[in-house]
């Protein structure tokens, strides 16, 4: 699970949960896979992403490194920043562990890099 | 419509020649035939055909004036048509008299004719030399004297004589109520089926003892004036037993019978008896095209004759059914045990006949799913830098990783399939499409290819679409594909049908008929579903489709709801925050692309 994926995931489908976001990450294995950097790709992504959630996610699994807490205003021209963002968004991967609903505590296992978000029929 | 008999001016002739030069290429492209510089027996009508409303009758009407025709050919979906004369002289006469003059093209424009080397080859679209199973026509069943006395039985004066949109109707025994398509079985009419018709059944017993027990208690008399007809229908199963008998009086007519892709035309001669029993009664629709002429294919299988219709009186004899219909043609049966699939049963059905099956067949399934459909790929390629695309029900991920500018992510219910995706280094998660765990308005695109037809109720299918809409940003686009009930469209068989070698040949009665078995499979909630015969047309909309594993001989049954035409579109129209971009048919699927709006 890349942190961009984490950035969009929510547990609000659970009955009784109102926001369910962001999910807490309990990681037991994290990997960094280098991928091709493209500044236009990253800069178009930045406005779509909840940056504080991304930052906290990276920090919670010990990979915040020198990622800024806030995205700079000039992010489109700031290649140094875009590279850091690229790394956080699509290179860091949680291979195993759990995602935890912040309201209900419901756990969603991550194994082989795949979060299992399945709910039982009676949960939603 | 008038034929100008006056000669053309030179200017007009030039205009016609210019048009014809253009039409040479049109007919080559549309029908693959070459025009001939010298006269031949064959003429192409270059600018009028089935798509702009030209009919066999009107070709016959105008062209048979010049001599006997040996063929008339209207091509489905084309705006050109063809005819052949037995004698080239007749073709020349018609060519000279009608070219650029006869106003029967669209908007009463003139038609343009070219001589052609030969007529285009076309597989037969209507069948004239076969009858539906269980259908019998007995010619000259009654004498002219008997016909006359039977005609005296109907008055068309009585109060029970109603005027249907297209014809006069009179009922005996029970009134057939067209509002409910049934008879009121507790309210017999005061006038019984006239006893003067009893001799018919005594006579029938001698030649067809299998119908010896037939004793009708309902008679409908229809009077069809030339130009009138009756829409295609199956007589309501729960209303009447099998067989149904129909006596044609006063005029001959062509009746049409349809089932799936098959279209049979048959002559019902005056004074003949038509017997519809078994499959022909229960599973085939019958109807009469409203027109003044019937164009009839000759017995010799070449050439046409045209029959001018006169007023026809038909006596339809039926036996009211008491109790339940016990036919084996559930798809057209109004009494088919209504599958009451509620949410709970639906979930169980999907767990057993969708989720579990995919876990079992994941590897084999993935081996058979590598070639992406071009129109889906085109949609995926339409996204640009930094767009986020979710594939809901991504299967083995065959639509992921094609567009390097975007972030695409797949999700599926099947762990086995998601693991296969992981092997391809694409990003995925496991979820059910009824509750997608993604924030509202987060993504730029959603595709869901061949997924929601696995959901067992309309409510659940609609919920799945609404989930996709929910996660889309305003302006984001979605694409949904579902399996179509119609596997033959515009005379073309889908690749699903074509994968069966024998289906590649002409449509025959044998291969596309009666293929849906009534295998009994114990299902949740006591519901009953037919098991579909692979590579054939669908009959029911809720079916179990077998998947055979190639190694061991195990067969799994997957639940499908196959969508009728416009069904997906109508569902999407219920959702007010999307606008439909395109609704189309692609490779045996109904497809919708849409945009999220405020």
């Amino acid at each position: 699970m890349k942190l961009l994926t984490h950035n969009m995931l929510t547990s609000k489908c659970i009955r009784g949960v109102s926001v369910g976001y962001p999910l807490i990450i309990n990681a037991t294995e994290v990997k960094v896979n280098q991928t091709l950097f493209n500044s236009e790709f990253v800069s178009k992504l930045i406005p779509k992403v909840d940056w504080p959630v991304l930052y906290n996610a990276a920090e919670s699994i010990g990979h915040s490194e020198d990622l800024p807490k806030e995205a700079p205003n000039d992010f489109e021209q700031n290649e140094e920043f875009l590279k850091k963002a690229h790394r956080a968004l699509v290179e860091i991967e949680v291979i195993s562990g759990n995602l935890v609903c912040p309201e209900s505590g419901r756990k969603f296992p991550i194994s082989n890099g795949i979060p299992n978000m399945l709910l039982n029929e009676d949960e939603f | 419509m008038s034929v100008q008999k006056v000669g053309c001016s030179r200017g007009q002739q030039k205009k016609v020649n210019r048009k014809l030069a253009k039409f040479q290429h049109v007919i080559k492209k549309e029908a693959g035939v070459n025009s001939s510089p010298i006269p031949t027996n064959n003429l192409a009508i270059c600018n009028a055909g089935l798509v702009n409303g030209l009919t066999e009758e009107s070709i016959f009407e105008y062209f048979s004036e010049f001599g006997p025709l040996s063929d008339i050919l209207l091509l489905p979906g084309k705006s050109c048509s063809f005819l052949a004369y037995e004698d080239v002289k007749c073709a020349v006469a018609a060519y000279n008299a009608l070219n650029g003059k006869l106003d029967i093209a669209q908007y009463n424009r003139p038609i343009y004719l070219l001589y052609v080397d030969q007529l285009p080859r076309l597989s037969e679209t209507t069948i004239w030399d076969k009858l539906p199973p269980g259908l019998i026509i007995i010619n000259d069943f009654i004498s002219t004297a008997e016909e006359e006395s039977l005609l005296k039985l109907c008055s068309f004066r009585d109060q029970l004589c109603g005027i249907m949109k297209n014809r006069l109707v009179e009922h005996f025994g029970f009134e057939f109520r067209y509002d409910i398509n049934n008879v009121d079985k507790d309210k017999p009419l005061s006038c019984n089926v006239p006893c003067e018709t009893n001799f018919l059944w005594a006579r029938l017993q001698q030649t067809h003892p299998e119908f010896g027990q037939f004793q009708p208690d309902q008679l409908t008399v229809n009077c069809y004036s030339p130009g009138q007809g009756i829409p295609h229908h199956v007589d309501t199963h729960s209303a009447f037993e099998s067989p149904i008998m129909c006596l044609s009086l006063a005029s001959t007519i062509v009746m049409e019978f349809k089932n799936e892709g098959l279209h049979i035309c048959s002559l019902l001669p005056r004074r003949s008896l038509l017997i519809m029993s078994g499959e022909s009664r229960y599973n085939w629709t019958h109807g009469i095209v409203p027109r003044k002429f019937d164009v009839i294919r000759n017995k010799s299988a070449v050439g046409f004759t045209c029959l001018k219709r006169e007023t026809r009186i038909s006596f339809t004899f039926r036996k009211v059914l008491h109790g339940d219909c016990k036919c084996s043609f559930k798809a057209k049966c109004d009494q088919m045990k209504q599958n009451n699939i509620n949410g709970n049963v639906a979930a169980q059905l999907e767990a057993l006949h969708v989720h579990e099956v995919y876990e079992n067949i994941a590897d084999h399934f993935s081996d058979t799913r590598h070639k992406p459909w071009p129109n889906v790929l085109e949609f995926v390629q339409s996204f640009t830098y930094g767009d986020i695309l979710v594939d809901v029900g991504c299967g083995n991920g065959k639509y992921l990783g094609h567009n390097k500018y975007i972030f695409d992510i797949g999700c599926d219910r099947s762990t086995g399939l998601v693991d296969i995706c992981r092997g391809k280094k694409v990003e995925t998660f496991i979820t059910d499409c009824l509750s997608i765990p993604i924030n509202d308005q987060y993504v730029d695109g959603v595709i869901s290819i061949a997924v929601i037809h696995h959901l067992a109720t309309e409510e659940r299918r609609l919920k799945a679409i609404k989930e996709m809409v929910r996660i889309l940003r305003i302006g984001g686009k979605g694409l949904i594909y579902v399996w179509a009930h119609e596997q033959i469209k515009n005379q073309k068989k889908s690749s699903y049908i074509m994968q069966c070698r024998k289906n590649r040949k002409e449509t025959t009665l044998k291969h596309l008929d009666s293929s849906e078995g009534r295998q009994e499979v114990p299902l949740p909630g006591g519901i009953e579903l037919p098991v579909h015969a692979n590579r054939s047309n669908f009959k029911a909309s809720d079916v179990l489709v077998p998947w055979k594993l190639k190694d061991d001989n195990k067969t799994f049954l997957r639940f499908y709801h196959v969508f009728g035409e416009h069904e997906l579109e109508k569902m999407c129209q219920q959702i007010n925050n999307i606008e439909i971009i395109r609704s189309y048919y692609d490779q045996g699927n109904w497809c919708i692309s849409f945009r999220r709006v405020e």
Side-chain angles (χ1 to χ4, degrees), chain B residues 576-588:
Chain B
N576 49 22
N577 52 358
I578 57 171
E579 58 183 28
I580 293 169
I581 300 170
R582 192 177 161 214
S583 172
Y584 60 105
Y585 180 87
D586 186 12
Q587 284 298 314

Side-chain angles (χ1 to χ4, degrees), chain A residues 43-61:
Chain A
S43 69
K44 288 275 161 58
L45 264 179
I46 297 297
K48 300 178 180 180
V49 168
D50 187 323
W51 188 265
V53 168
L54 179 74
Y55 176 84
N56 290 333
E59 193 187 35
S60 75
I61 55 172

Side-chain angles (χ1 to χ4, degrees), chain B residues 26-290:
Chain B
V26 173
I27 59 163
K28 176 76 187 161
K29 190 161 163 269
E30 289 267 291
V33 292
N34 293 312
S35 67
S36 164
I38 51 162
T40 65
N41 296 21
N42 313 312
L43 290 175
I45 304 174
C46 308
N47 61 328
L50 279 181
V51 291
N52 24 40
L54 191 63
T55 60
E56 275 186 349
E57 299 91 85
S58 64
I59 295 181
F60 188 91
E61 188 181 347
Y62 292 105
F63 284 83
S64 61
E65 263 185 56
F66 300 90
L69 293 167
S70 60
D71 213 346
I72 297 175
L73 205 55
L74 289 142
L75 306 177
K78 302 289 181 198
S79 59
C80 56
S81 44
F82 300 86
L83 59 124
Y85 284 97
E86 286 171 10
D87 188 337
V88 65
K89 280 188 207 132
C90 305
V92 173
Y95 183 95
N96 290 335
L98 305 178
N99 204 358
K101 296 171 195 164
L102 176 64
D103 298 330
I104 57 168
Q106 209 168 7
Y107 309 122
N108 295 337
R109 294 215 177 98
I111 53 164
Y112 293 95
L113 302 172
L114 283 169
Y115 295 109
V116 291
D117 295 340
Q118 56 181 23
L119 300 192
R121 297 244 164 263
L122 174 76
S123 61
E124 195 55 69
T125 51
T126 56
I127 301 165
W128 284 85
D129 55 352
K130 283 190 186 109
L131 290 176
L135 194 129
I136 298 166
I137 298 168
I138 308 174
N139 290 342
D140 294 312
F141 190 71
I142 55 168
S143 68
T144 45
E146 286 163 342
E147 178 187 36
E148 208 167 298
S149 62
L150 285 172
L151 285 171
K152 283 184 188 141
L153 296 174
C154 58
S155 53
F156 290 112
R157 271 180 279 113
D158 206 287
Q159 56 182 14
L160 289 167
C161 148
I163 297 178
M164 291 296 294
K165 196 160 127 212
N166 293 312
R167 55 190 200 276
L168 290 162
V169 193
E170 188 173 354
H171 300 287
F172 297 88
F174 292 86
E175 185 191 358
F176 185 81
R177 287 180 48 192
Y178 295 92
D179 55 341
I180 54 169
N181 267 323
N182 211 324
V183 287
D184 201 334
K185 294 177 187 176
D186 302 325
K187 283 188 192 154
L189 298 171
S190 54
C191 52
N192 287 325
V193 176
C195 56
E196 291 90 332
T197 58
N198 287 348
F199 76 96
L200 297 167
W201 321 124
R203 182 171 299 166
L204 183 65
Q205 185 161 25
Q206 288 166 16
T207 53
H208 293 75
E210 68 272 31
F211 299 116
Q213 301 303 312
F214 186 64
Q215 198 50 251
D217 54 7
Q218 200 273 339
L219 165 64
T220 298
V221 179
N222 279 291
C223 174
Y224 298 86
S225 299
Q228 297 181 329
I230 184 166
H232 268 267
H233 65 283
V234 176
D235 284 58
T236 310
H237 286 202
S238 63
F240 305 110
E241 294 183 358
S242 170
I244 289 168
M245 308 264 177
C246 182
L247 204 54
S248 294
L249 306 177
S251 175
T252 297
I253 210 161
V254 170
M255 188 171 264
E256 303 197 339
F257 303 91
K258 290 182 183 173
N259 181 28
E260 299 298 326
L262 300 174
H263 184 176
I264 292 179
C265 296
S266 179
L267 202 61
L268 299 186
R270 179 176 178 181
R271 292 184 288 103
S272 68
L273 180 71
L274 166 75
I275 305 174
M276 287 188 281
S277 69
E279 183 172 336
S280 67
R281 180 261 179 273
Y282 289 119
N283 210 27
W284 289 67
T285 63
H286 55 278
I288 296 170
V289 180

Side-chain angles (χ1 to χ4, degrees), chain A residues 24-43:
Chain A
I24 300 155
I25 308 175
N26 288 328
T28 51
E29 189 189 347
V30 178
K31 257 191 198 164
V32 180
N33 286 318
Q34 285 211 337
T35 62
L36 208 63
F37 169 73
N38 178 308
S39 60
E40 193 165 1
F41 169 79
V42 183
S43 69

